[in-house]
């Protein structure tokens, strides 16, 4: 007898291999197998015994998958006769178990079912590994005739054939699933899909989308080497390294692929290996690349605008105590970017002593959850130049209200302040009035740059569609300021801009800028209203910010009918009120830091007590000159 490979719970290497082979046959599939039950019943009849069974030997258990004459599903391996049978080449016969030292103390011999005779024929895998046995059992000692032994062996081979048939059916189903998955992989996508042989780098199959994506017919690429698509050499360097490392991770690489007769398109290549093949997905990201390049050009233009307008930006991350300064901030401070790390301490060192407490209070207000209004302060730059700066701050907060990112626009207004001081003594003069106009135009251009910078920080890292929407928003604000200045020379004084004349043009320009002119109808109820220009510009921008938010929200929810938006503008004494009414079933919330900053400039407020109604109210100022409003410094 062969020595047991499973002794005292220790699994030997030979039994590990046998258990792996047993797992392959998935013996649970043999439960309730009527053909198997017929074979065990036939074995009982042929051998003239009351019990016949088909057993398989697991790690610690014997599992009965068919039985006749003894209802049992499993037993401990140490009580099993069949665990000894599988140690033999073909057979094991025990004529009288009470006289065999291996079994005479077994519970199955001493108690039910009182085994005396046992004969087992091994059940083998197609590789010859013993997995279990077909056995017959009697309650009294006996022997089998040669004919009975031959018949039992034939029945055992039939059980093996049944096992192999089920195993092969599973293999075929698995292969069919793989083929189906390959077909789905190739056809169920608009991306470029390929199957590649890793040993030759030949393209085996490609999906029909290749003609739409690259202009090639399938037959032009199938059977060709991967290099025929002409990716750059660094792609193959990375691919070879990935294959050499035998990594289980996906391969990912950005690469340009040729479009037939018309240049190249940028793709992200993803490769996974399965069933000895490379499954390659190539996702077209050319639109994203183009959008990134467009944003890069816009950023370059904005940097030039910052330099011309003497305006920069900085970012502060309170939890990290980290600051980032733009190139223009370094220039304004008179510092070299290589001179050290940006910090609040370096900034405070340059601030006038009289203004430092204000700066510190603003920092505390940000951390405490408050809103910082635009403010001015003075510095002595590193090169000794005395400067006056204006800052506008916007804070991003988490759900708990904690500041996670602070963005600021900082403008050098030293020259502007100098001009303002001159204007204070010369506004009665016609030439001074013209200078005031030019000063305001320049000031508004600086404001435009600031608004564009704020919008840019919002869209950084986002999708191109969001960038387009944000740029449309900027354009609408530019047009609103342009309308204020369009007829500025017609007004006798800056304290009386006839806002009632430009309201309809302002709304039409906004609707056109964001492309919704034909998707809404507008109604107006307007009374004569004159506003100081210091209030007209921020009021126009506040109107644009509010109306753009309402139009976009209403449009995203609108039904088939064209929504009607009504506007009411009236002035009673020094009180000015603008009311916007949208369909009552649309009542979107308005959340805009910029809107509240602009309303602060005119000491105004937004009232939303009635569903579908949004009202801006403020009191008119009766002052002249560029210093009359904090909006202009």
């Amino acid at each position: 007898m062969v020595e047991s490979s499973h002794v005292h719970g220790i699994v030997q290497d030979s039994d590990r291999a046998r258990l792996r082979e047993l797992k392959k046959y998935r013996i649970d599939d043999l439960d309730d197998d009527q053909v198997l039950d017929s074979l065990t019943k036939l074995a009982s009849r042929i051998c003239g015994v009351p019990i016949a069974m088909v057993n398989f030997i697991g790690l610690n258990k014997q599992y009965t998958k068919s039985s006749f004459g003894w209802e049992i599903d499993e037993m401990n391996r140490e009580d099993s006769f069949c665990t000894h049978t599988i140690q033999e080449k073909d057979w094991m016969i025990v004529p009288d178990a009470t006289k065999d030292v291996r079994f005479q103390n077994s519970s199955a011999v001493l108690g039910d079912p009182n085994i005396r005779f046992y004969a087992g024929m091994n059940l083998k895998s197609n590789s010859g590994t013993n997995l279990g046995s077909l056995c017959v059992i009697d309650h009294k000692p006996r022997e089998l005739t040669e004919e009975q032994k031959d018949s039992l062996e034939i029945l055992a081979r039939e059980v093996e054939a049944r096992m192999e048939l089920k195993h092969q059916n599973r293999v075929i189903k698995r292969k069919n699933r793989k083929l189906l998955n390959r077909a789905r992989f190739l056809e169920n996508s608009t991306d470029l899909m390929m199957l590649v042989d890793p040993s030759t780098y030949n393209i085996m199959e490609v999906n029909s989308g290749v003609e739409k994506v690259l202009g090639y017919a399938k037959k032009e690429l199938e059977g060709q080497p991967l290099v025929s698509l002409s990716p750059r050499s660094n792609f193959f360097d990375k691919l070879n390294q990935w294959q050499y490392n035998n990594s289980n991770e996906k391969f990912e690489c950005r690469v340009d692929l040729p479009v037939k007769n018309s240049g190249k398109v940028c793709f992200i290549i993803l490769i996974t290996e399965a069933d000895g093949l490379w499954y390659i997905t190539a996702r077209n990201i050319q639109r994203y690349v183009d959008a990134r390049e467009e944003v890069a050009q816009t950023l370059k233009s904005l940097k030039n605008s910052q330099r011309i307008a003497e305006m920069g930006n900085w970012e502060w991350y309170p939890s990290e105590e980290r600051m980032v300064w733009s190139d223009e901030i370094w220039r304004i401070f008179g510092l070299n970017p290589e001179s050290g790390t940006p910090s609040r301490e370096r900034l405070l060192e340059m601030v006038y002593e009289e203004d430092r407490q204000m700066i510190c209070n603003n920092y505390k207000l940000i951390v405490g959850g408050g809103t910082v209004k635009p403010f001015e302060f003075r510095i002595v730059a590193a090169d000794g130049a005395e400067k006056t700066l204006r800052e506008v701050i916007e804070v991003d907060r988490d759900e708990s209200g904690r500041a996670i990112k602070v963005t600021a626009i900082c403008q050098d207004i030293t020259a502007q302040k100098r001009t303002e001081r001159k204007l204070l003594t010369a506004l009665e003069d016609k030439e001074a009035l013209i200078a005031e106009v030019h000063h305001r135009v320049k000031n508004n251009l600086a404001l435009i740059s600031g608004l564009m910078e704020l919008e840019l920080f919002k869209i950084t890292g986002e999708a191109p569609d969001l960038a387009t929407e944000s740029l449309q928003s900027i354009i609408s604000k530019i047009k609103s300021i342009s309308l204020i200045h369009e007829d500025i020379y017609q007004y006798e004084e800056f304290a009386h801009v006839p806002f009632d004349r430009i309201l309809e043009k302002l709304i039409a320009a906004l609707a056109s800028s964001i492309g919704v002119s034909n998707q809404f109808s507008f109604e107006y109820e307007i009374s004569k209203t004159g506003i100081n220009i210091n209030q007209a510009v921020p009021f126009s921008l506040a109107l644009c910010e509010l109306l753009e938010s309402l139009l976009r929200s209403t449009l995203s929810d609108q039904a088939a009918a064209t929504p009607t938006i009504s506007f009411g503008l009236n002035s009673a004494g020094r009180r000015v009120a603008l009311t916007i009414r949208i369909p009552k079933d649309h009542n979107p919330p308005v959340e805009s830091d910029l809107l509240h900053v602009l309303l602060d400039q005119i000491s105004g407020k937004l009232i939303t007590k009635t569903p579908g109604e949004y009202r801006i109210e403020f009191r008119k100022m009766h002052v002249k000159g560029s210093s009359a409003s904090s909006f202009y410094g």
Side-chain angles (χ1 to χ4, degrees):
M1 179 181 294
V2 179
E3 184 181 356
S4 173
S5 61
H6 185 278
V7 181
H8 302 300
I10 300 174
V11 182
Q12 305 299 325
D13 289 342
S14 60
D15 206 44
R16 286 194 183 93
R18 189 190 66 79
L19 290 171
R20 284 195 299 270
E21 193 79 356
L22 179 64
K23 183 178 180 180
K24 182 179 75 174
Y25 279 87
R26 292 172 61 174
I27 59 172
D28 285 346
D29 287 354
L30 297 174
D31 289 339
D32 301 321
D33 189 314
Q34 294 182 357
V35 174
L36 213 58
D37 291 343
S38 297
L39 292 174
T40 53
K41 185 176 182 180
L42 184 58
S44 171
R45 296 255 179 106
I46 290 174
C47 296
V49 295
I51 299 172
M53 306 168 69
V54 171
N55 297 321
F56 293 94
I57 307 303
L59 176 61
N60 297 308
K61 298 281 187 178
Q62 169 183 287
Y63 300 99
T64 301
K65 292 303 170 181
S66 179
S67 65
F68 178 79
W70 184 12
E71 293 297 326
I72 186 171
D73 295 324
E74 64 180 45
M75 69 167 55
N76 291 331
R77 185 168 174 177
E78 57 265 25
D79 294 329
S80 165
F81 280 67
C82 293
T83 195
H84 294 272
T85 304
I86 64 172
Q87 306 302 320
E88 304 294 340
K89 181 179 180 181
D90 296 310
W91 283 94
M92 186 183 81
I93 296 178
V94 180
D96 187 348
T98 61
K99 297 179 181 179
D100 192 316
V101 295
R102 295 173 297 175
F103 309 113
Q104 59 191 197
N105 294 320
S106 169
S107 59
V109 173
L110 298 176
D112 189 56
N114 299 305
I115 297 176
R116 294 296 180 268
F117 170 75
Y118 169 91
M121 170 63 71
N122 277 322
L123 299 174
K124 301 176 182 291
S125 69
N126 60 356
S127 62
T129 301
N130 292 339
L131 305 179
S133 67
L134 169 63
C135 65
V136 291
I137 296 171
D138 202 345
H139 304 306
K140 57 186 179 181
R142 62 171 298 160
E143 293 281 357
L144 292 180
T145 66
E146 290 301 319
E147 290 80 3
Q148 289 173 329
K149 291 179 182 179
D150 289 344
S151 298
L152 194 60
E153 183 176 4
I154 291 171
L155 293 175
R157 300 293 82 81
E158 285 297 321
V159 173
E160 291 171 356
R162 186 69 179 167
M163 291 164 49
E164 192 64 32
L165 176 63
K166 286 182 175 277
H167 170 62
Q168 292 301 326
N169 282 341
R170 286 192 299 272
V171 171
I172 291 171
K173 287 179 180 179
R174 189 162 56 246
K175 288 181 178 179
N176 286 341
R177 282 196 300 270
K178 289 179 181 179
L179 291 173
L180 182 60
N181 289 339
R182 282 171 59 175
R184 288 173 177 169
F185 170 79
L186 289 171
E187 299 303 331
N188 290 356
S189 175
T190 57
D191 291 329
L192 175 60
M193 303 283 196
M194 290 182 285
L195 291 174
V196 172
D197 184 346
S199 62
T200 63
Y201 283 21
N202 278 355
I203 301 171
M204 299 176 60
E205 294 182 58
V206 65
N207 69 330
S208 56
V210 67
E211 188 164 359
K212 180 179 180 181
V213 176
L214 295 179
Y216 294 94
K218 290 180 62 175
K219 63 181 180 181
E220 293 182 84
L221 293 179
E222 290 180 344
Q224 298 300 314
L226 192 58
V227 73
S228 63
L229 286 175
S230 303
R232 295 177 181 174
S233 59
N234 67 337
F235 166 76
F236 286 102
D237 292 341
K238 294 178 181 179
L239 183 60
N240 292 332
Q241 185 66 35
W242 176 72
Q243 186 182 35
Y244 176 78
N245 291 336
N246 194 26
S247 173
N248 291 325
E249 297 180 358
K250 291 182 178 181
F251 173 84
E252 182 172 342
C253 183
R254 177 172 161 172
V255 64
D256 291 331
L257 297 179
V259 177
K260 190 174 183 180
N261 303 324
S262 60
K264 293 190 174 184
V265 174
C266 189
F267 289 86
I268 288 290
I269 299 288
L270 295 173
I271 303 179
T272 55
E273 185 168 1
D275 306 322
L277 295 176
W278 282 346
Y279 287 70
I280 299 181
T281 301
R283 181 161 50 90
N284 187 340
I285 60 167
Q286 189 61 49
R287 289 182 61 189
Y288 171 75
V289 171
D290 292 341
R292 285 290 299 270
E293 290 178 356
E294 185 176 345
V295 170
Q297 289 299 318
T298 301
L299 182 59
K300 183 178 179 181
S301 298
L302 285 169
K303 286 184 176 180
N304 290 335
S305 298
Q306 283 189 342
R307 178 178 52 80
I308 295 170
E310 297 182 299
M311 178 183 293
N313 61 276
W314 56 258
E315 296 174 2
W316 175 41
Y317 300 87
S319 63
E320 306 173 33
E321 274 300 335
R322 179 170 62 90
M323 292 194 83
V324 179
W325 293 349
S326 70
D327 293 343
E328 189 61 19
I329 289 289
W330 288 99
R331 193 201 65 75
I332 290 173
F333 292 164
L335 293 170
N336 187 325
E338 297 179 359
S339 65
T341 303
S343 67
R344 289 188 297 152
E345 290 73 19
R346 293 189 74 179
L347 171 59
L348 286 171
E349 287 174 0
M350 292 181 281
V351 175
Y352 270 39
E353 186 174 353
E354 298 90 333
D355 295 343
R356 285 180 188 170
Q357 190 57 49
M358 175 185 63
I359 300 291
C360 292
N361 289 341
N362 283 340
Y363 283 135
K364 291 178 182 178
L365 190 59
I366 291 170
V367 174
T371 299
V372 178
K373 296 180 180 180
F375 62 95
E376 297 174 5
F377 61 99
R378 296 162 295 170
I379 67 167
V380 178
D383 57 7
E386 297 183 3
K387 299 181 179 182
T388 301
L389 309 180
R390 177 192 287 123
E391 280 195 349
V392 179
I393 291 178
E394 187 170 283
V395 183
D396 291 335
R397 302 185 184 277
D398 60 18
E399 293 180 354
S400 65
R402 185 167 57 97
I404 56 176
K405 179 182 177 183
V406 182
T407 303
I409 303 300
C410 181
Q411 183 184 13
D412 182 354
I413 59 171
T414 306
Q416 177 182 324
K417 282 294 186 180
R418 191 180 303 118
T419 301
E420 287 176 356
R421 285 192 293 270
K422 292 179 181 179
L423 284 171
L424 286 175
T425 60
L427 279 177
E428 297 298 326
D429 186 85
K430 182 178 179 180
E431 293 297 322
L433 183 61
I434 295 175
E436 170 79 346
V437 172
H438 285 294
H439 162 71
R440 291 183 179 278
V441 171
K442 176 187 175 183
N443 201 38
N444 284 326
L445 289 175
L447 173 61
I448 292 171
S449 293
L451 292 172
M452 293 176 73
E453 183 65 18
L454 283 174
E455 292 295 330
L456 178 66
F457 273 100
K458 291 180 182 178
I459 67 174
T460 300
E462 299 289 345
D465 288 342
L466 180 56
T468 301
E469 181 176 310
S470 296
L471 290 175
Q472 287 175 341
S473 177
I474 295 172
I475 291 170
S476 69
K477 294 176 178 66
I478 294 172
K479 288 188 175 181
S480 69
I481 297 175
S482 298
L483 284 170
I484 297 295
H485 286 280
E486 184 177 11
D487 299 320
I488 195 168
Y489 291 102
Q490 300 177 17
Y491 311 144
E492 294 182 1
E493 56 179 346
F494 289 113
H496 188 80
V497 176
F499 205 82
D500 50 290
R501 292 192 216 163
I502 65 172
L503 179 60
E504 292 190 32
K505 291 195 292 183
L506 186 64
I507 292 169
L510 171 63
S512 175
S513 295
I514 63 176
V516 298
S517 297
N518 297 325
Q519 300 179 53
F520 292 91
S521 63
F522 302 113
E523 295 178 354
Y524 302 89
E525 185 175 347
I526 302 172
S527 62
K528 186 175 181 180
T529 304
I531 305 174
N532 186 287
I533 193 169
N534 288 316
Q535 292 180 298
V537 173
F539 179 38
S540 299
L541 292 174
L543 170 59
C544 287
E545 184 73 4
L546 173 60
L547 183 56
E548 181 182 351
S549 175
L550 296 178
L551 290 177
R552 292 190 187 279
S553 299
T554 304
L555 184 62
S556 65
D557 296 333
Q558 97 175 61
T562 301
T564 298
I565 311 293
S566 64
F567 301 86
L569 176 67
N570 61 77
S571 174
R574 295 183 62 187
R575 175 183 165 278
V576 177
L578 171 69
T579 303
I580 303 175
R581 293 184 178 87
I582 66 174
K584 291 186 178 180
D585 55 338
H586 301 285
N587 193 32
V590 178
E591 298 177 357
S592 169
D593 290 343
L594 178 59
L595 174 60
H596 294 299
V597 169
L598 292 167
L599 290 176
D600 285 342
Q601 300 303 320
I602 59 175
S603 299
K605 59 183 178 180
L606 175 64
I607 301 172
T608 58
K609 293 181 180 180
T610 304
E613 182 176 293
Y614 300 79
R615 179 190 298 268
I616 294 176
E617 290 186 359
F618 62 96
R619 292 177 64 81
K620 290 190 284 187
M621 294 187 301
H622 293 292
V623 289
K624 301 179 181 180
S626 63
S627 63
S629 167
S630 61
F631 189 78
Y632 285 100

